[in-house]
Amino acid sequence: MSMHARWRRIRTASIGVVSVGLLATACGGGSDNGGSSADSDTLIVYTGLAGDWPRVFNPYLPTVSEGPGTIFEPLFFYNIARQDDPAPRLGTEYAWNDDGTELSITLREGVEWSDGEPFTADDVAFTLNMLLENEALNTQNFQGEPTVVDDTHLTVSFEEPAYMKAPDLLGKTWIVPEHIWGELEDPGTDQIPEPVGTGPFTLQEFSPQAFTLAANENYWDGAPELPEVRYVALSGNQAGADALAAGEIDFQTGPVPDMANFEANHEGYKDVTVHAFQMVLDTCSNAELGCTGPQTDPAVRQAIYYAMDREQLNTLAFQNTADEMSPGFALPERDAGYVSADLENQTVPMNADIARAQEILEGAGWTMGGDGIYEKDGERLSMTVRVVTGWTDYITAVNTLSEQLKEAGIELTPQPASNNETMDARGRGDFQLQIDSQYPGPTPDPYYVYNNFFNSDNTVPVGETANPNFARYSNPAVDDAIAELNQINPADTEQRQPYYDIIQAEIERDMPYIPIMLGGNTSQFNSAKFTGWPTDVNLYAYPAVWQRPDQAEIYRSLEPTGE
Amino acid sequence: MRYYARKLGFYLVALWAALTLNFFIPRMMPGNPVDTLLAKLQQRGGSVGPDVREAYALMLGTDTGEPLWDQYFSYLANMLRGDLGVSVSVFPEEVTTVIAQSLPWTIVLVGIATFLSFLVGVVLGMVVGWKRGTWLDSLIPATTVLSAVPYFWLALIFVMFFSTSLAWFPLNGGYDVSLSTGWTWEFISSAIYHGFLPALTIVVSSVGGWLLGMRNMMVSTMSEDYILTARAKGLRNNRIMTRYAARNAVLPSVAGFAISLGFVVSGSIITEQVFSYPGIGGKLLQAVENSDYALMQGIFLVITVAVLAANLVVDLLYGFIDPRTRVEN
């Protein structure tokens, strides 16, 4: 009997559990549809990050959830989308002395931290000294010496001309409050869960699935019109595209299906595409540093350059979002003033020129083999090209490319591998060709691409990790020109141009990175709910949700329409 | 007593072997955390100068230059102390924090789904086995087809159908993000509502296995003499089915259930991915993508311990229920 009673109790209990579940489902179903909030003024963004948000608001950590630009401000804003002068933020003016070894900065008056403390030059000096003392935080390799003149003036002195360091120093150094950060045990491992900054927004609410920034009522430029920004967590691009289609997010940067008809398919949404990333084939080009394979011959690289049909690549692989690039690696539109007149091609040829490619190969001693592929000294003109599995646009591009090059007698074998493995191989030089993309510098100036990718200071022999001159390119003429550019005030464009001409001519001839096209970054945004978005004709900031501090410039310009 | 001591000893050795594999396998993967991190920053517009790499290597502590063996022994010592280290992909959060944050979601979602699937499968299997030869037999191919369908595909179809087209259920997430987390009715109901579709996916795709196993055991149990005796006594059919046939037939399924409980913590990576569910499966994927050794080790450790513990419980129970297993040769 007792046993029966127990059974009955368990049965009753489980019925109870099930009905509670059903009830809850019914309630949930009635009250809410789709998980988006009712607040029509909140901007909901997805940054493309896969997974939950860590509570990291330390702007100096690579895992920071948010903060640079929105909560913590730089001294100036550098727009990499077009040739603007640096816009004053916490700083109002800056000037170099004659030889570029001393930078004087004037700071904005009357700025307060979000906890009410006044902002002064001491905070700036503290931030810079913190970088000097913590090597792990000093990603820009700042080596100057800050001196506070008074509350709104300070100078930074350098041992060598440091003109080219300014954009990182002025535009990417997030000023932190001394009265809080001075107490931290180790700023390099502190998550800063409750950030205090001077920026237009403050952290309001946090959970790993979403956090909300609220307009800073005491912002020096007045509180932004946009009251709240909510960052949501999704599992990746696919989930992002789904949520966008369902109208659950207002702003994201990333690929969506059927890009050409995006605005027709998503009512109230618009998209904008910008071009700053240069797609290239990295080549392990330098036999002296241990590279092997036909691509160490410049003629082969030139032949690939002429044999590819970029128009077809753009259509088949990039949904026509890519744009023409220059073989001198200055962006044709943004950096029009820098593109050298001495270049053989101002921009890359968009269609294949097989005859030209074959002429170059034959001029370098390659002969057509029986199987339709060139050969030289018994070596076939056959190379592997590395590509990341799952990056469908690059995979399509590489497959199309291998078809195109076969016409010219060049054999390409795609070599797909995981992102980790491919990037690891790129660093160690364990590749012949690799499809890749070169990132722009901190300011609209091709100098940074030249220094990063073409300066022999930034490369090492095959087997060690190069960073980031992956092609192992080493050319004294280019190195010297970069060294000269370091000594010249960037405002003096006339004096700089001859060096740009040298670099561009050298890299067009050597072609350690074979130019493909400018990659397009497409962002989608809800223009019915908010106005003030950047457009093709008014690129006041780089319109990508993950680009910091540009995202803060966009949030500051947005106004809810109230719909 | 010696039986139990031997069992415990075996599990200790198994645990050590698992810990060792957890250490070495992730390190055999190509790539390293710093370069993976840099590549990610570069793809997303970071201005990544040549000096960044050195700074991050210092920050994440990946360039200690310590030999692998020393790392291995300090890893074992840390494990004994319960120190799982710092995660690189969400630096500087502790691995234990990351796991503690996502494990409950998975245990509740996958746990309830596994339990429901077991319950439904066993009950259906009992009925189908009892009434074999009737139209009910067609349930077997129907459910096995569903469990043969790829998991992620089923999940995607559900999302397309129930979330995107019909809008009955939310598209993604574990709860309505505009609510604050806590033990409020609003939050809990939102969590149940968000968990319904992922749970349904798991149940639908796993119920077939339980059903098939239970049905087959029912069929063989029904030919036992005691069933015949029960019929001869004139007992009600329902009573024979539940108290005589099913109670004996369910034993292997219960053992299987105990083991599958151990796998609950490993979650359903794909289901969680499709629904952007904040569970441990997504974390494991994140760890692998970022070469986050510490997080991988931590998650593997939790999975290993859960599976071993479930096995141990089953082993001990079996020794208790069936004395034959305790006899030494």
Side-chain angles (χ1 to χ4, degrees):
Chain A
M1 191 62 215
S2 66
M3 187 168 166
H4 282 203
R6 202 159 69 223
W7 270 109
R8 216 174 294 130
R9 265 207 303 282
I10 292 174
R11 228 180 285 151
T12 324
S14 40
I15 290 169
V17 168
V18 170
S19 15
V20 166
L22 290 175
L23 195 67
T25 316
C27 291
S31 68
D32 163 307
N33 225 341
S36 57
S37 108
D39 193 347
S40 64
D41 287 349
T42 303
L43 177 77
I44 302 170
V45 302
Y46 175 54
T47 64
L49 175 105
D52 300 346
W53 296 107
R55 189 162 187 153
V56 177
F57 292 93
N58 181 339
Y60 288 98
L61 298 188
T63 48
V64 59
S65 284
E66 183 51 44
T70 44
I71 299 171
F72 297 97
E73 282 187 301
L75 295 170
F76 293 84
F77 169 66
Y78 284 76
N79 183 5
I80 61 160
R82 68 179 182 203
Q83 297 286 348
D84 287 349
D85 286 331
R89 289 295 170 261
L90 286 178
T92 53
E93 274 171 53
Y94 70 88
W96 285 104
N97 68 349
D98 286 341
D99 63 353
T101 54
E102 192 178 282
L103 180 65
S104 349
I105 307 168
T106 309
L107 301 175
R108 191 175 294 280
E109 280 178 49
V111 176
E112 278 182 5
W113 296 99
S114 55
D115 63 356
E117 295 281 321
F119 157 83
T120 68
D122 287 327
D123 293 309
V124 180
F126 168 79
T127 305
L128 295 178
N129 283 322
M130 179 180 79
L131 296 186
L132 289 175
E133 284 159 23
N134 293 276
E135 248 179 286
L137 300 182
N138 197 355
T139 55
Q140 50 176 290
N141 194 17
F142 169 71
Q143 296 298 344
E145 198 191 319
T147 313
V148 175
V149 179
D150 59 41
D151 270 1
T152 54
H153 292 84
L154 83 160
T155 59
V156 185
S157 54
F158 299 89
E159 281 176 13
E160 290 169 6
Y163 295 115
M164 303 318 289
K165 293 271 186 195
D168 273 329
L169 177 61
L170 299 175
K172 297 274 181 183
T173 305
W174 322 109
I175 307 301
V176 298
E178 181 179 15
H179 65 277
I180 296 174
W181 286 58
E183 317 273 299
L184 297 181
E185 209 166 287
D186 179 4
T189 55
D190 202 303
Q191 296 178 224
I192 313 293
E194 304 285 350
V196 170
T198 59
F201 292 88
T202 54
L203 178 65
Q204 187 183 42
E205 213 178 352
F206 181 87
S207 85
Q209 285 273 287
F211 63 86
T212 310
L213 303 181
N216 179 357
E217 294 303 326
N218 299 319
Y219 188 51
W220 52 262
D221 197 23
E225 299 279 341
L226 180 66
E228 278 182 12
V229 187
R230 177 173 305 133
Y231 284 73
V232 294
L234 297 173
S235 63
N237 283 342
Q238 180 59 46
D242 287 348
L244 193 72
E248 288 182 10
I249 50 182
D250 299 322
F251 184 23
Q252 77 142 9
T253 301
V256 289
D258 196 11
M259 213 102 90
N261 298 311
F262 174 79
E263 294 183 8
N265 294 341
H266 296 73
E267 207 195 324
Y269 282 78
K270 287 205 178 327
D271 62 350
V272 59
T273 302
V274 281
H275 303 93
F277 287 72
Q278 317 195 57
M279 286 190 286
V280 295
L281 281 178
D282 294 342
T283 72
C284 193
S285 65
N286 192 338
E288 277 171 32
L289 288 179
C291 295
T292 55
Q295 83 288 350
T296 50
D297 179 351
V300 170
R301 307 197 288 262
Q302 289 275 355
I304 295 176
Y305 171 73
Y306 282 110
M308 70 171 80
D309 185 335
R310 294 179 173 82
E311 213 165 87
Q312 191 187 35
L313 283 178
N314 200 3
T315 311
L316 294 182
F318 304 119
Q319 297 199 51
N320 283 317
T321 57
D323 206 354
E324 292 187 349
M325 75 179 271
S326 164
F329 287 80
L331 303 186
E333 275 180 38
R334 189 194 75 178
D335 305 337
Y338 293 105
V339 176
S340 166
D342 306 340
L343 282 171
E344 191 177 337
N345 298 309
Q346 294 286 306
T347 55
V348 293
M350 290 303 281
N351 294 106
D353 185 349
I354 304 286
R356 177 81 193 267
Q358 296 189 329
E359 189 188 310
I360 293 171
L361 286 176
E362 280 158 21
W366 294 85
T367 51
M368 181 61 86
D371 56 354
I373 303 295
Y374 277 93
E375 57 185 30
K376 183 182 183 180
D377 307 331
E379 187 190 18
R380 288 177 80 239
L381 186 39
S382 169
M383 287 158 287
T384 55
V385 51
R386 280 195 179 266
V387 60
V388 175
T389 43
W391 291 11
T392 45
D393 52 346
Y394 278 3
I395 290 173
T396 315
V398 165
N399 287 334
T400 311
L401 201 55
S402 71
E403 290 295 318
Q404 293 173 353
L405 297 189
K406 204 189 282 172
E407 306 268 308
I410 302 169
E411 188 178 73
L412 281 194
T413 313
Q415 195 181 359
S418 74
N419 188 26
N420 292 0
E421 185 176 350
T422 309
M423 295 309 162
D424 185 51
R426 181 181 71 173
R428 288 185 292 104
D430 180 16
F431 65 96
Q432 293 189 312
L433 301 174
Q434 176 162 341
I435 188 163
D436 198 9
S437 165
Q438 292 186 347
Y439 45 90
T443 168
D445 183 340
Y447 165 87
Y448 295 93
V449 166
Y450 299 148
N451 186 41
N452 284 345
F453 295 99
F454 295 91
N455 190 340
S456 68
D457 279 354
N458 294 326
T459 201
V460 284
V462 168
E464 298 167 37
T465 301
N467 180 42
N469 182 350
F470 306 115
R472 277 133 176 104
Y473 184 56
S474 171
N475 179 340
V478 172
D479 290 351
D480 290 346
I482 291 173
E484 290 295 335
L485 285 170
N486 283 331
Q487 316 285 328
I488 307 171
N489 190 330
D492 194 351
T493 49
E494 223 163 278
Q495 209 193 331
R496 298 172 93 210
Q497 193 57 37
Y499 298 107
Y500 280 118
D501 291 345
I502 294 174
I503 297 175
Q504 293 181 31
E506 294 286 325
I507 65 180
E508 187 188 32
R509 194 196 60 224
D510 293 342
M511 217 162 266
Y513 302 89
I514 305 168
I516 303 176
M517 261 178 288
L518 283 185
N521 275 129
T522 302
S523 301
Q524 299 85 25
F525 48 79
N526 189 338
S527 59
K529 209 166 140 185
F530 303 95
T531 58
W533 296 98
T535 60
D536 290 340
V537 288
N538 182 18
L539 284 174
Y540 59 79
Y542 192 86
V545 67
W546 36 249
Q547 185 73 26
R548 298 162 177 152
D550 300 57
Q551 95 289 23
E553 298 297 314
I554 295 173
Y555 300 162
R556 278 183 62 187
S557 319
L558 293 183
E559 278 182 44
T561 58
E563 271 178 42
Chain B
M1 209 52 232
R2 265 181 69 194
Y3 167 79
Y4 293 112
R6 215 176 53 212
K7 280 283 161 205
L8 280 176
F10 167 77
Y11 278 100
L12 279 181
V13 173
L15 182 65
W16 167 77
L19 283 178
T20 305
L21 289 177
N22 283 354
F23 178 81
F24 286 104
I25 290 179
R27 282 170 177 74
M28 281 193 270
M29 297 194 331
N32 65 72
V34 175
D35 286 316
T36 307
L37 181 68
L38 283 183
K40 219 164 59 173
L41 292 176
Q42 288 160 4
Q43 288 147 18
R44 314 187 70 229
S47 148
V48 190
D51 304 304
V52 176
R53 189 169 188 277
E54 208 177 318
Y56 285 165
L58 264 176
M59 179 185 289
L60 304 179
T62 50
D63 69 340
T64 50
E66 217 183 339
L68 205 57
W69 280 113
D70 294 357
Q71 288 181 39
Y72 172 65
F73 287 118
S74 54
Y75 155 80
L76 281 186
N78 284 338
M79 286 288 151
L80 283 179
R81 283 200 310 263
D83 175 7
L84 300 183
V86 172
S87 162
V88 173
S89 55
V90 287
F91 185 83
E93 262 183 27
E94 299 268 336
V95 168
T96 39
T97 321
V98 179
I99 293 180
Q101 193 180 299
S102 45
L103 196 56
W105 289 98
T106 298
I107 289 185
V108 172
L109 173 74
V110 186
I112 291 180
T114 307
F115 182 71
L116 280 182
S117 161
F118 171 75
L119 207 70
V120 172
V122 162
V123 170
L124 281 181
M126 176 182 78
V127 175
V128 172
W130 185 254
K131 305 207 164 167
R132 68 181 153 144
T134 65
W135 62 271
L136 277 174
D137 274 358
S138 57
L139 262 180
I140 299 167
T143 51
T144 33
V145 161
L146 280 178
S147 46
V149 164
Y151 228 51
F152 65 94
W153 188 78
L154 194 69
L156 286 172
I157 293 290
F158 277 8
V159 166
M160 196 188 85
F161 204 70
F162 293 114
S163 299
T164 311
S165 306
L166 296 174
W168 287 355
F169 292 102
L171 205 51
N172 48 49
Y175 54 89
D176 184 346
V177 294
S178 58
L179 302 172
S180 49
T181 48
W183 294 111
T184 59
W185 171 244
E186 220 185 356
F187 173 72
I188 294 172
S189 64
S190 154
I192 294 176
Y193 178 46
H194 279 72
F196 191 85
L197 212 50
L200 188 68
T201 316
I202 299 174
V203 170
V204 166
S205 59
S206 61
V207 76
W210 298 119
L211 196 154
L212 192 66
M214 182 63 186
R215 184 254 180 199
N216 291 349
M217 279 310 291
M218 271 300 272
V219 170
S220 50
T221 316
M222 273 158 58
S223 59
E224 295 285 341
D225 287 344
Y226 55 80
I227 302 288
L228 195 66
T229 316
R231 284 188 202 278
K233 282 199 291 185
L235 292 178
R236 273 182 298 116
N237 257 343
N238 256 346
R239 191 172 170 83
I240 303 175
M241 178 174 82
T242 52
R243 295 296 158 84
Y244 287 68
R247 271 180 87 175
N248 284 294
V250 82
L251 279 176
S253 295
V254 168
F257 178 65
I259 290 173
S260 71
L261 275 186
F263 285 98
V264 162
V265 284
S266 66
S268 305
I269 298 182
I270 292 167
T271 313
E272 289 184 5
Q273 195 63 13
V274 171
F275 292 96
S276 300
Y277 205 76
I280 201 94
K283 286 281 176 268
L284 183 57
L285 192 71
Q286 169 195 328
V288 172
E289 281 177 348
N290 293 294
S291 304
D292 189 346
Y293 302 138
L295 187 54
M296 264 187 270
Q297 284 161 1
I299 295 177
F300 286 144
L301 178 76
V302 172
I303 296 173
T304 316
V305 169
V307 173
L308 285 179
N311 271 289
L312 180 65
V313 168
V314 174
D315 251 1
L316 295 180
L317 277 180
Y318 255 57
F320 180 70
I321 298 168
D322 188 350
R324 280 174 301 182
T325 52
R326 270 178 292 172
V327 176
E328 283 168 57
N329 292 330

